[in-house]
Amino acid sequence: GGHIARELAQLGIEKIALIDHDIFKAENTYRHGTGAVNYYESSKVHSLQQVLNGYSTHLEVDSINQNVKHAIKEGLIDFKAYDLVIIATGEPMTNFSINQYFNEEHGGLPILYAWVDPYGLGGHTLVTNNGQEGGCYECLYNEDKHNTASFTARKQFFRKSLSGCGGYFVPFS
């Protein structure tokens, strides 16, 4: 989500709202695009807001340091003020409930889901709720809750060992 927000800000988008409850920790700073070293143990959305504010004086950035489901339930954001919602939670179960909310409450507001396959093997996007047929987020998942658009098979295992020394690693960035 942070990478998407940065790209949108650089393109000249005028208004962005960021929602995330997470803080920067040692185990998640490597994948965030804000130069997180300066923001260790701080809110991801407030830190990203500071970075994005540096891109343009015309950009309005709202940051909500809450779980997205809580932010929706409590009405902390007016989705009618936006032309597009991008969901990049990386959590399918959260996305299912978000999908249901937007289908019921905001028909016609396009929702773009973005996610990365396990091990970074590839990225995906799906647009739903745009008045067109198709594009159902839940339809991507089979009865075992495996994403059928995934580049990996269910329970597929990726690791490589050099010299059999037990030093396993994933051969992808």
Side-chain angles (χ1 to χ4, degrees):
H3 293 287
I4 294 169
R6 275 189 29 223
E7 293 297 321
L8 290 172
Q10 290 174 344
L11 287 171
I13 298 296
E14 295 178 355
K15 185 172 182 174
I16 295 176
L18 308 167
I19 304 172
D20 194 342
H21 67 283
D22 207 1
I23 62 169
F24 284 113
K25 299 179 231 165
E27 61 269 16
N28 67 24
T29 57
Y30 72 93
R31 66 178 185 256
H32 207 278
T34 62
V37 170
N38 300 327
Y39 302 106
Y40 187 71
E41 292 293 331
S42 63
S43 159
K44 284 184 176 181
V45 291
H46 296 322
S47 303
L48 184 56
Q49 180 181 29
Q50 290 177 349
V51 170
L52 297 181
N53 282 333
Y55 287 156
S56 170
T57 58
H58 302 290
L59 176 63
E60 178 186 337
V61 181
D62 295 325
S63 62
I64 301 169
N65 188 26
Q66 293 286 330
N67 174 290
V68 66
K69 291 195 291 187
H70 176 77
I72 288 171
K73 181 180 176 185
E74 297 299 319
L76 299 178
I77 185 167
D78 178 15
F79 289 105
K80 293 176 183 158
Y82 296 90
D83 298 319
L84 173 69
V85 173
I86 299 174
I87 307 296
T89 68
E91 300 173 3
M93 295 305 147
T94 297
N95 291 352
F96 288 146
S97 70
I98 291 170
N99 182 64
Q100 181 178 359
Y101 166 77
F102 280 107
N103 285 337
E104 293 173 1
E105 302 294 329
H106 294 283
L109 176 61
I111 311 300
L112 187 146
Y113 293 89
W115 68 97
V116 177
D117 249 40
Y119 305 110
L121 292 175
H124 300 271
T125 58
L126 172 72
V127 177
T128 67
N129 209 23
N130 62 354
Q132 305 295 318
E133 296 219 11
C136 173
Y137 181 80
E138 290 186 40
C139 293
L140 287 175
Y141 289 82
N142 64 19
E143 61 279 351
D144 295 328
K145 298 297 182 207
H146 174 68
N147 185 327
T148 59
S150 178
F151 296 125
T152 61
R154 184 167 178 78
K155 298 185 181 183
Q156 188 173 2
F157 187 70
F158 293 92
R159 74 177 181 187
K160 191 171 188 168
S161 173
L162 296 178
S163 304
C165 65
Y168 289 104
F169 64 95
V170 178
F172 308 105
S173 62

